[in-house]
Amino acid sequence: MPSPVRPAAPALLHDLDALSRSSPQRRTLLRALLAGAAAPLAGCGGSIDVGLGSVGTSTSSSSSSSTSSSTCSVIPEETAGPYPADGSNANSNGVVNALTLTGVVRSDIRSSFAGASAVATGIPLTLTLQLVNAANSCANLAGYALYLWHCDRNGLYSLYDSTLLNEDYLRGVQVTDSNGQVSFTTIFPGCYAGRMPHIHFEIYPSLSSAVSAAYKMRTSQLTFPLTTINEAYATSLYSTSAANLSGMSFAADTVFSDGTSLQMASVSGSASSGYTASLVVAIST
């Protein structure tokens, strides 16, 4: 199992984070600039993900079938944030990596696992992601691993909040099927002050490589239509998140301020019956 990757210099991380949250054109420039710097960074033990490719051998394949469109845009690279539990940072107990825990490969991520017992409560959400190859007419990508995580209905993250250090709910890994799809059963995410509701995910070239952030191909986030968010947060379960959301907007969000067109999930259902959501996620491989 790879050793935890040392972080890059704080100043460099700050500059890269600022660029990654800017316009799509500047993201493209960032990837181009870092392409030539990838080897030196690796030699220094850097852990910066620029969405340029994967580490290790991939056993994934591109299916002959594809989405209804032959043109798709690569989903923006985004920050993993402070709570990824992918071996790239630590909580108060030390380096935390949910990817190495027994039972992390699962479709229903509402309960804790690997000996923990708490269950996240909230409005049921079934989320399907379809991974496609923007470099090959949007062909479906089979055999890739997606690690997904998000906060609970109160805006708290398992393994990081002081009350949840020994719980690991709302985290899980799935492998894309022949249609490039993975499906997770979870709850509608809450939010914390300063961010719109969102779900994080990392893409890995295979299940065997999904053991550390060092091997991820891409990191991104998705969100939901404001009408859905407002409906969900009007329920008593989400009163804390409703307060956290007050005064926020997509335009003010540090990640989504440059647009949400490629990260906005399609949603059906209701707060009373639960939601079903989907998103096509394009990468270039």
Side-chain angles (χ1 to χ4, degrees):
M1 181 183 305
S3 300
V5 182
R6 291 176 295 157
L12 178 59
L13 281 177
H14 173 80
D15 292 342
L16 293 177
D17 186 60
L19 277 172
S20 72
R21 297 179 180 183
S22 60
S23 66
Q25 291 82 3
R26 295 185 72 188
R27 284 190 182 122
T28 300
L29 175 61
L30 173 62
R31 290 194 293 269
L33 290 172
L34 287 181
L41 284 171
C44 294
S47 59
I48 302 167
D49 176 38
V50 296
L52 297 173
S54 62
V55 180
T57 302
S58 171
T59 59
S60 309
S61 62
S62 178
S63 171
S64 59
S65 59
S66 62
T67 62
S68 58
S69 172
S70 61
T71 303
C72 49
S73 299
V74 174
I75 195 165
E77 177 76 13
E78 305 289 11
T79 176
Y83 313 114
D86 58 5
S88 62
N89 68 4
N91 60 16
S92 59
N93 293 328
V95 173
V96 57
N97 191 349
L99 294 171
T100 62
L101 298 178
T102 301
V104 70
V105 180
R106 61 205 188 123
S107 59
D108 189 335
I109 63 173
R110 291 174 293 184
S111 63
S112 289
F113 61 102
S117 59
V119 177
T121 58
I123 299 171
L125 170 67
T126 299
L127 174 64
T128 299
L129 303 181
Q130 182 179 13
L131 189 64
V132 300
N133 188 358
N136 185 23
S137 301
C138 305
N140 298 329
L141 290 171
Y144 286 69
L146 274 82
Y147 168 44
L148 182 144
W149 72 97
H150 64 86
C151 66
D152 64 18
R153 63 186 174 90
N154 293 317
L156 306 178
Y157 282 85
S158 67
L159 293 171
Y160 289 89
D161 186 80
S162 60
T163 63
L164 298 172
L165 289 177
N166 297 316
E167 301 296 341
D168 44 26
Y169 57 48
L170 304 180
R171 300 178 184 276
V173 174
Q174 283 281 286
V175 178
T176 56
D177 62 17
S178 60
N179 294 316
Q181 294 183 337
V182 294
S183 184
F184 291 92
T185 300
T186 183
I187 61 165
F188 194 82
C191 75
Y192 48 92
R195 284 299 316 275
M196 294 296 284
H198 59 279
I199 290 180
H200 296 267
F201 59 93
E202 293 174 343
I203 301 168
Y204 291 82
S206 64
L207 182 60
S208 62
S209 66
V211 294
S212 166
Y215 305 124
K216 64 184 179 180
M217 298 178 68
R218 199 160 194 82
T219 305
S220 197
Q221 300 179 26
L222 63 87
T223 189
F224 304 89
L226 186 58
T227 52
T228 302
I229 295 170
N230 287 335
E231 179 188 59
Y233 286 9
T235 65
S236 58
L237 285 173
Y238 288 82
S239 58
T240 298
S241 286
N244 291 338
L245 183 67
S246 178
M248 272 302 298
S249 66
F250 285 116
D253 187 276
T254 54
V255 170
F256 299 127
S257 59
D258 59 355
T260 61
S261 60
L262 299 177
Q263 297 162 283
M264 181 67 69
S266 298
V267 181
S268 61
S270 67
S272 58
S273 63
Y275 297 112
T276 297
S278 63
L279 180 70
V280 176
V281 177
I283 63 173
S284 183
T285 184

